[in-house]
Amino acid sequence: MITKYTIPSDEDLTAFIDGELTAEEAAQIEAIVNQDESVAERLEFLARASLPFEQAFAPLLREAPRERLEAMLAAVPARESAKPAAVAAFATRRGFLGALAASLVAGIAIDRAVLGLGRGFSARDENSEWRAVVADYISLYTEETLAGPTPARESQAAQLAPLDDKLGLSLSPEAVSLPGVDFKRALLLQYDGKPLAQIAYLDPETGPMALCIVRSDAGPKAPDLESRKGMNVVYWSNGRHAFMLIGHAAADRMAAIADGVRGKVAA
């Protein structure tokens, strides 16, 4: 039972999202969320786990040690108070997250994901929220995640083409090239029901770096700098898109790189 003064664990918050708690427990979670902004933000983040992760990570899951994971997860008892549908949903989620964790331990790199809010939690600041989601994801990247040769120009153009179609941009390999940083891959993700472009790079000096773009009607914004997950983020927007460049390089270098790419990426 969750007490009034207990900060909910991620397990408690996930159970709340899945409808597994009793009415009394759910009311306690709601009260804490209303009083504690950090808990509210964590709940909002965990709510994204209600997205169709299994479909997005299907290639990864095919390589995961399912038998061992399922045996481990089968030993975890479900809450007696849970609704049957909620139990099934939670079991599916536990199975997916367990397989994903095992895959990461095995060194299998995550290649695509769907990002966004699957429940009715509204972001306090849309532009800030999408950057937080991306930073959480990019923080999982290591040099090994992006290891391998730089794709040829033709391959880069082929990877960028779907991003152009979905975002209404003109992203050529030359437009998204960064000085001294190697292009690795371009992915089409999704945030809050909107297409999100992620172009991943590997900086020989500081490691993973990414240029991310999402449609936005928030209006133009001059470049600004912030820090997330130990990385520097330069972000800006025009009339149709919001952009962010995130990486481990020093702030002044990130700003210089962002300034260069701003002039090349046009709607």
Side-chain angles (χ1 to χ4, degrees):
M1 173 69 70
I2 303 166
T3 65
K4 180 178 180 181
Y5 302 104
T6 300
I7 298 299
S9 66
D10 284 357
E11 181 182 4
D12 294 327
L13 294 176
T14 301
F16 174 78
I17 293 167
D18 286 336
E20 288 193 284
L21 300 181
T22 64
E24 181 181 357
E25 290 174 326
Q28 291 174 358
I29 291 286
E30 289 178 0
I32 295 171
V33 167
N34 290 332
Q35 296 173 10
D36 191 322
E37 184 174 350
S38 65
V39 175
E41 291 175 351
R42 187 61 182 170
L43 178 65
E44 189 172 344
F45 175 78
L46 291 172
R48 299 181 196 109
S50 63
L51 293 166
F53 279 130
E54 184 166 3
Q55 177 181 356
F57 281 95
L60 175 64
L61 293 175
R62 282 195 292 269
E63 301 184 49
R66 281 182 175 274
E67 293 79 7
R68 181 162 55 88
L69 259 289
E70 288 173 356
M72 294 168 60
L73 293 170
V76 180
R79 294 171 183 256
E80 293 182 359
S81 60
K83 302 173 184 177
V87 172
F90 185 55
T92 299
R93 186 182 309 211
R94 285 190 312 182
F96 164 74
L97 293 177
L100 176 58
S103 297
L104 290 174
V105 170
I108 300 173
I110 298 175
D111 211 25
R112 345 184 139 249
V114 175
L115 306 176
L117 300 178
R119 302 275 170 166
F121 302 102
S122 59
R124 295 178 178 80
D125 178 347
E126 176 188 348
N127 285 333
S128 174
E129 175 62 21
W130 85 275
R131 297 195 304 273
V133 174
V134 171
D136 281 326
Y137 183 51
I138 299 299
S139 68
L140 300 176
Y141 279 15
T142 67
E143 291 186 12
E144 289 74 19
T145 307
L146 301 172
T150 299
R153 186 195 183 283
E154 293 75 12
S155 177
Q156 294 183 31
Q159 293 180 43
L160 292 168
L163 280 55
D164 286 352
D165 294 340
K166 291 292 186 179
L167 289 164
L169 287 168
S170 180
L171 300 175
S172 67
E174 291 75 22
V176 300
S177 65
L178 305 183
V181 182
D182 298 328
F183 177 107
K184 288 299 180 179
R185 63 181 180 231
L187 303 176
L188 180 62
L189 310 177
Q190 180 176 296
Y191 168 75
D192 201 18
K194 297 179 292 188
L196 186 155
Q198 180 200 108
I199 306 167
Y201 307 83
L202 186 60
D203 179 10
E205 297 180 7
T206 62
M209 187 178 295
L211 173 65
C212 300
I213 311 166
V214 67
R215 283 190 181 274
S216 173
D217 56 4
K221 175 177 175 51
D224 205 347
L225 178 71
E226 64 184 0
S227 178
R228 291 184 181 273
K229 294 290 184 177
M231 295 173 285
N232 286 313
V233 180
V234 182
Y235 61 97
W236 68 96
S237 59
N238 56 28
R240 297 176 57 193
H241 303 89
F243 303 79
M244 65 180 286
L245 180 71
I246 180 170
H248 299 272
D252 56 350
R253 181 163 175 246
M254 292 291 292
I257 294 174
D259 187 57
V261 77
R262 280 180 62 226
K264 296 186 296 181
V265 177

